[in-house]
Amino acid sequence: MDPFNEEDIKMYFFENRLKTFAGWPFDEDCSCTPENMAKAGFIHAPSENSPDIAMCFFCLKELEGWEPEDDPEKEHRSHSSSCQFMALKKKVEELTVEEFFKLQKERHKIIINKTGNDAISKFEEAAKLRRAGIVKTAMGEE
């Protein structure tokens, strides 16, 4: 992970997060507008079945099932209370280089943990299926 990678750091900035909300189902007369979502650190990450998935670019928490009255900051804090991006006391543009690198280090830890946990889950699922196949063979069910 290159801490200077432009793709890796561009989502720290509101404008870049806001650009991801093309096609967001809520845009006016509600709390979860694209602007409020982006302010709360979210990027729009829709799937085929769920057009309203939003993910924090920093803590990687995904939330869906948004209602017009949902406050993005409150939802983010309630579902990911330890998100350090939400805990920032100043704008990203005002961070010192040291503060930014500490933040980026924490973000990389989150990414590594998520990647590892996803790989473990896939392995465990594959092992479960393999085990079931072995049991079937041993029982003469195939």
Side-chain angles (χ1 to χ4, degrees):
M1 286 185 192
D2 176 5
F4 299 108
N5 180 339
E6 186 179 332
E7 284 299 307
D8 198 37
I9 62 172
K10 74 179 191 177
M11 289 305 160
Y12 276 95
F13 300 97
F14 169 81
E15 298 79 19
N16 294 324
R17 293 191 304 275
L18 184 60
K19 288 177 191 172
T20 69
F21 282 92
W24 180 246
F26 306 98
D27 57 3
E28 291 179 17
D29 300 325
C30 63
S31 296
C32 55
T33 62
E35 291 78 10
N36 289 340
M37 296 296 288
K39 282 179 193 168
F42 289 113
I43 58 173
H44 189 202
S47 71
E48 197 173 299
N49 298 332
S50 298
D52 71 337
I53 296 176
M55 179 182 75
C56 174
F57 85 95
F58 189 89
C59 71
L60 308 180
K61 182 66 176 179
E62 288 186 8
L63 298 176
E64 62 182 311
W66 291 89
E67 300 291 335
E69 66 277 359
D70 289 339
D71 179 318
E73 284 193 28
K74 284 182 185 171
E75 293 297 323
H76 194 166
R77 289 183 201 285
S78 72
H79 291 278
S80 187
S81 58
S82 62
C83 180
Q84 293 185 16
F85 182 77
M86 290 302 293
L88 284 178
K89 303 282 189 246
K90 53 179 151 176
K91 293 179 181 179
V92 170
E93 295 84 357
E94 297 169 352
L95 293 173
T96 65
V97 172
E98 182 180 3
E99 290 168 332
F100 176 77
F101 278 129
K102 282 182 181 178
L103 203 57
Q104 191 66 338
K105 180 178 92 174
E106 290 307 313
R107 183 168 177 262
H108 282 180
K109 284 182 193 175
I110 291 165
I111 292 168
I112 290 167
N113 279 331
K114 184 177 185 344
T115 303
N117 289 337
D118 289 350
I120 289 168
S121 293
K122 284 179 184 173
F123 176 82
E124 288 173 342
E125 187 59 34
K128 194 164 102 178
L129 293 171
R130 182 72 168 181
R131 188 176 301 116
I134 292 169
V135 170
K136 271 186 173 180
T137 301
M139 304 287 276
E141 294 177 19
E142 273 193 52

